[in-house]
Amino acid sequence: MSTTPDEATADPSLLCEEARRLAEGGEPEAAARLFEQVLRMGEGPHRARAALGLAVVLDDVGDVAGARDADWIAIGTEDPEYGPRAAYHLALLHERAGERDEAARAWRTVVDFGNPGYLPPALLALAQLADEDGDFETARGWWERVIETGNPQYAPVAAHDLAQRLLERGEPARAQRVLTAALRMIDRETSPYAYARLATAIGIAYLDQAIGAFRTVLEDEEAATDPEVGPLATELLARTLPLRGRTEEAGEVWAQGLTRSAVAGQVRARLRRGFGERDEDAEIPWWEPVVESAVADGSLPALTGEVFGALDHIYALAALRHVQGPAGDPAETHQVLGEAVRVPDDYWWGGLLHESFDDRARRALGPDTPER
């Protein structure tokens, strides 16, 4: 379409500025007309700006197809500022529509422009797309390029994401190096959340390195049965694994340590750390093996909850009968006590408690022991 005499003499810079003002004032249609007027003027230094402006306002009014076409006009100008901005906008349009391949193409276009203001987020977006596709090597390449930019906003995010994947792949040392380098980019005062996030991830990397080191010791049978090394490595590994959510493995580590006769006693002593002193000649209370097993397999919190639940129930039954006073029906009192005694039946350790009572009763009453 040819331009009118008025359009030909108009100042494209002023038209773009007026269009921007209209768009910000809530008049996208009027803004679009002015941006289109600039585009009809043909090639010029303001064409890229007008095309991007048009893409944004068309997107605002729901004309996504028109917005995409306008973005490509801006990209085609190869303008070093508005070209990558238009590609960035185009990528977001495709992502919003769930068009992953088209979005990746647009993000690569941003990268090709090389504008440092838009390069880091584009590289990070490409890394995330590759990661979602399960292509770790490609994702790692993009993440490393983000980190190389040193951008304080995007490089730490890329370092965190890359480190997470390295940890999952059993490469904690590499993850630790990536995170340590990224941490140097962050001002702790101005970006406390980003700093804390990376510092936490570094701690996890060290934990995984420690797990690997302890496991290596225990894979060597000579070291595992060395009284100076094996029991310590067993305890450290078994107590570290739950911190990474690997409680089942911790139970297996304790069990393996207890099977090694040369160090079983020391392993058991470490497993029972915190149980308190006990006379070696005294009879082992029935609950200690239960607690020991719970410590080994990581179920101690659950066992504690069961015990307190049973105690609460028994107390409630006994206390209710107590507040009724001495004038209560003896039969009713007997019934309440019977209910209290049966509370532990619902727990797997309840049978052990009953056996303990039966044993105590036999020793105290002899043949006159009544049936429960």
Side-chain angles (χ1 to χ4, degrees):
M1 181 183 292
S2 61
T3 62
T4 65
D6 287 343
E7 291 177 336
T9 59
D11 185 335
S13 175
L14 294 178
L15 289 174
C16 285
E17 191 59 32
E18 176 64 13
R20 181 191 63 77
R21 187 186 65 79
L22 289 168
E24 291 177 353
E27 300 182 63
E29 293 87 354
R33 287 193 292 271
L34 291 182
F35 283 132
E36 288 170 342
Q37 182 178 336
V38 175
L39 292 180
R40 286 196 295 270
M41 294 178 179
E43 300 297 329
H46 300 286
R47 183 175 179 80
R49 179 185 178 186
L52 175 60
L54 179 60
V56 173
V57 295
L58 289 178
D59 182 27
D60 287 343
V61 298
D63 184 358
V64 177
R68 292 178 178 180
D69 290 341
D71 277 328
W72 278 115
I73 292 173
I75 293 167
T77 68
E78 299 185 358
D79 184 275
E81 173 63 25
Y82 292 104
R85 285 177 62 179
Y88 190 109
H89 181 257
L90 181 62
L92 294 179
L93 290 178
H94 285 304
E95 284 192 349
R96 194 170 67 198
E99 298 164 348
R100 291 168 48 83
D101 292 342
E102 292 82 355
R105 177 189 175 195
W107 287 124
R108 282 193 290 270
T109 301
V110 177
V111 171
D112 290 341
F113 273 100
N115 186 313
Y118 307 101
L119 183 61
L123 292 169
L124 183 60
L126 287 167
Q128 291 169 340
L129 287 171
D131 183 47
E132 290 170 4
D133 290 336
D135 186 350
F136 171 73
E137 291 304 326
T138 298
R140 174 159 62 180
W142 292 122
W143 277 322
E144 288 175 344
R145 287 189 61 182
V146 181
I147 295 169
E148 288 169 5
T149 68
N151 184 281
Q153 179 180 356
Y154 295 99
V157 176
H160 183 274
D161 291 349
L162 173 55
Q164 288 292 105
R165 291 294 176 261
L166 288 170
L167 288 173
E168 291 170 5
R169 295 168 65 86
E171 301 180 63
R174 287 187 179 181
Q176 184 267 328
R177 289 194 293 271
V178 167
L179 292 164
T180 300
L183 204 59
R184 299 194 190 102
M185 305 176 192
I186 299 177
D187 184 337
R188 188 173 185 177
E189 297 300 320
T190 59
S191 304
Y193 172 75
Y195 187 93
R197 191 165 182 250
L198 287 185
T200 301
I202 287 177
I204 292 172
Y206 279 122
L207 282 177
D208 281 3
Q209 285 179 272
I211 287 171
F214 300 144
R215 194 176 288 285
T216 298
V217 171
L218 295 178
E219 286 171 354
D220 181 337
E221 194 61 26
E222 183 177 349
T225 54
D226 184 330
E228 299 295 322
V229 178
L232 176 59
T234 297
E235 179 182 14
L236 290 172
L237 179 57
R239 295 195 188 279
T240 304
L241 283 167
L243 298 177
R244 296 292 285 126
R246 298 159 67 177
T247 304
E248 247 183 67
E249 291 179 55
E252 294 168 2
V253 170
W254 282 122
Q256 185 64 38
L258 293 171
T259 64
R260 295 186 170 107
S261 58
V263 294
Q266 291 184 54
V267 170
R268 173 160 277 108
R270 289 177 176 275
L271 172 59
R272 297 171 59 84
R273 190 189 298 279
F275 276 36
E277 296 297 326
R278 179 175 59 80
D279 186 344
E280 292 299 326
D281 295 328
E283 184 178 349
I284 298 176
W286 67 267
W287 59 82
E288 286 212 1
V290 176
V291 176
E292 182 179 300
S293 175
V295 171
D297 63 23
S299 63
L300 187 59
L303 175 62
T304 304
E306 290 177 354
V307 172
F308 275 104
L311 176 62
D312 181 71
H313 193 177
I314 293 170
Y315 177 85
L317 291 170
L320 181 62
R321 180 63 193 86
H322 175 73
V323 298
Q324 291 174 342
D329 181 0
E332 182 185 351
T333 300
H334 186 269
Q335 179 183 349
V336 170
L337 289 174
E339 291 174 2
V341 167
R342 287 192 294 274
V343 167
D345 290 349
D346 295 333
Y347 304 96
W348 73 269
W349 44 266
L352 297 175
L353 176 60
H354 290 318
E355 288 176 12
S356 174
F357 167 78
D358 290 342
D359 181 59
R360 290 169 185 265
R362 278 194 300 270
R363 282 185 287 174
L365 302 176
D368 298 325
T369 303
E371 292 293 328
R372 275 189 289 110

